[in-house]
Amino acid sequence: MIITVTLNPALDQIMFVNKLERNQNNKLLETVYDIGGKATHVSVVLSKVGIENIATGILAGHSGQKVQQLMEQKGVPCDFVWQEGAETRITYILVQREEKGSYMLTNRGFPIAAATIQALKDKLSTLTHEGDIVVFAGGIPINVDESVYQDLLQIVKAKQGKLVVDATGPFLREGIKARPYLIKPNEHEFKELIQKNPQTDGEYVSEIKKLLADGVEIVALSLGKSGSIIGTKQGFIRLYPPKIQEVNDVGCGDVFLGGALSMLSQGKSIEESFRFATAISASKATHEGSSEFDLEQTKQLMDEVKIESLKEEN
Ligand code: TA6
């Protein structure tokens, strides 16, 4: 079983214009809603691929109900903790049809009540069984500190669960302290973590080796449109994504993580798992929604993913 934990889910409001004009009345061409918050995306991929999973975390209000409704429409079993008197945050994403890339404005979300955190701890303890993969991904609520985060991680470790952590700054460091199965930092998060600025793949490999020595089993370093570097004690590979017509890049990193876990959880090799992850992430980029992709398109893109083995620079 794979359990995804989204402490701070979001309802993504994705708006499309031709080209944003300053000081103008920019008429929206279209607005679509999708799920947001990162670990939620992982669950969408797992469900679409047919991997048993449960999505939990903290939801609230009408926007939280809309998120759960969208998750259920995408075939995701949900078991969230609900907080009264609050509203799940809305993320505003602007996509210009005539330009590449998107603008994303993320709200911080509501403060989590002590009772809500306790309810989540109880739920996590109930849901997690030995050998389960438990994915913590996405932003952290404004009043959740590193010690609360570590308490949640340790509930999983106590149950012999396998931790996956996709977090930033001090929370990524907390994740590494818990000796996780997998971490997925992006380039910015990685450089902030190591407090260095690697310039070559070989330098990245040297830094990743230190994290493996600290007890991380798989380091999946996302380099965005340039691809990724995957490091394990068995070696290092560099993956290059296929060329695609980008529509909306929001959610690609989360779909990448979901794609990798959907394969790893079936015992597929590192190379096969991250080939699939790279292809499904590329498919997501060609879709408007932040959790949309096409499995047929993914299969066609698999052969266009380039993979090289990497060595540490001496
Ligand atoms: O990675 C995509 C996404 O999850 C969007 O769906 C949007 O909700 C945003 O990121 C949330 O990011 P945050 O770091 O605030 O959790």
Side-chain angles (χ1 to χ4, degrees):
M1 172 68 81
I2 298 182
I3 299 154
T4 66
V5 186
T6 311
L7 298 179
N8 197 10
L11 176 62
D12 283 2
Q13 179 174 325
I14 308 162
M15 299 159 283
F16 294 85
V17 293
N18 277 323
K19 188 174 182 310
L20 195 61
E21 301 290 349
R22 187 187 300 276
N23 302 331
Q24 294 295 320
N25 177 352
N26 292 273
K27 298 289 184 195
L28 294 177
L29 300 173
E30 185 186 7
T31 298
V32 296
Y33 291 90
D34 203 344
I35 52 108
K38 297 186 177 4
T40 44
H41 293 82
V42 171
S43 266
V44 169
V45 174
L46 295 170
S47 292
K48 282 268 175 78
V49 173
I51 304 296
E52 203 186 1
N53 74 97
I54 287 185
T56 189
I58 300 166
L59 287 172
H62 295 299
S63 50
Q65 285 166 6
K66 178 85 176 154
V67 169
Q68 173 145 317
Q69 189 186 42
L70 288 167
M71 296 280 282
E72 288 170 344
Q73 283 168 6
K74 293 169 183 275
V76 178
C78 296
D79 189 358
F80 283 86
V81 169
W82 290 81
Q83 179 162 315
E84 296 300 313
E87 279 291 322
T88 288
R89 63 184 172 140
I90 295 177
T91 296
Y92 298 97
I93 298 161
L94 182 72
V95 179
Q96 297 182 91
R97 288 237 159 96
E98 291 171 8
E99 309 255 336
K100 277 205 182 302
S102 58
Y103 297 87
M104 183 156 75
L105 307 171
T106 55
N107 278 300
R108 302 289 307 279
F110 57 88
I112 308 301
T116 306
I117 283 290
Q118 188 53 52
L120 181 63
K121 286 179 177 176
D122 297 343
K123 188 169 291 292
L124 212 39
S125 183
T126 306
L127 288 175
T128 306
H129 297 89
E130 183 172 356
D132 285 351
I133 291 176
V134 185
V135 185
F136 286 79
I140 309 297
I142 45 178
N143 66 327
V144 169
D145 63 16
E146 291 92 310
S147 67
V148 171
Y149 193 69
Q150 189 59 240
D151 288 348
L152 292 165
L153 301 178
Q154 289 306 318
I155 288 170
V156 174
K157 296 293 278 191
K159 288 285 187 108
Q160 317 298 320
K162 295 167 72 169
L163 270 179
V164 173
V165 175
D166 177 11
T168 57
F171 296 99
L172 177 55
R173 275 188 282 278
E174 289 301 319
I176 292 164
K177 274 187 213 163
R179 301 175 71 83
Y181 168 59
L182 185 149
I183 60 172
K184 189 204 69 71
N186 62 31
E187 206 168 352
H188 170 73
E189 291 159 350
F190 188 76
K191 290 179 177 176
E192 186 190 31
L193 174 72
I194 63 175
Q195 295 292 303
K196 288 181 189 164
N197 190 19
Q199 294 301 308
T200 65
D201 287 349
E203 286 173 8
Y204 276 118
V205 166
S206 307
E207 295 301 330
I208 291 171
K209 280 190 92 159
K210 295 172 190 167
L211 296 174
L212 298 172
D214 286 345
V216 182
E217 267 188 69
I218 302 172
V219 176
L221 169 60
S222 167
L223 302 169
K225 296 175 177 58
S226 315
S228 61
I229 295 175
I230 313 301
T232 68
K233 285 209 162 37
Q234 287 68 44
F236 296 81
I237 55 174
R238 176 71 163 85
L239 296 103
Y240 299 89
K243 296 268 176 288
I244 45 96
Q245 281 298 317
E246 180 184 310
V247 170
N248 178 11
D249 60 347
V250 171
C252 286
D254 313 313
V255 165
F256 175 87
L257 180 57
L261 292 174
S262 67
M263 293 295 129
L264 289 167
S265 60
Q266 298 180 76
K268 305 288 185 191
S269 70
I270 291 286
E271 184 163 318
E272 192 178 349
S273 301
F274 285 95
R275 178 186 291 278
F276 179 78
T278 305
I280 198 170
S281 178
S283 171
K284 184 345 296 172
T286 66
H287 287 79
E288 291 187 344
S290 42
S291 72
E292 257 185 290
F293 51 84
D294 178 286
L295 289 178
E296 275 314 304
Q297 180 189 25
T298 300
K299 286 195 186 85
Q300 287 152 22
L301 290 170
M302 291 274 278
D303 292 341
E304 297 174 42
V305 175
K306 245 179 71 206
I307 301 180
E308 295 169 354
S309 65
L310 279 183
K311 294 266 177 290
E312 184 179 1
E313 247 161 38
N314 300 322

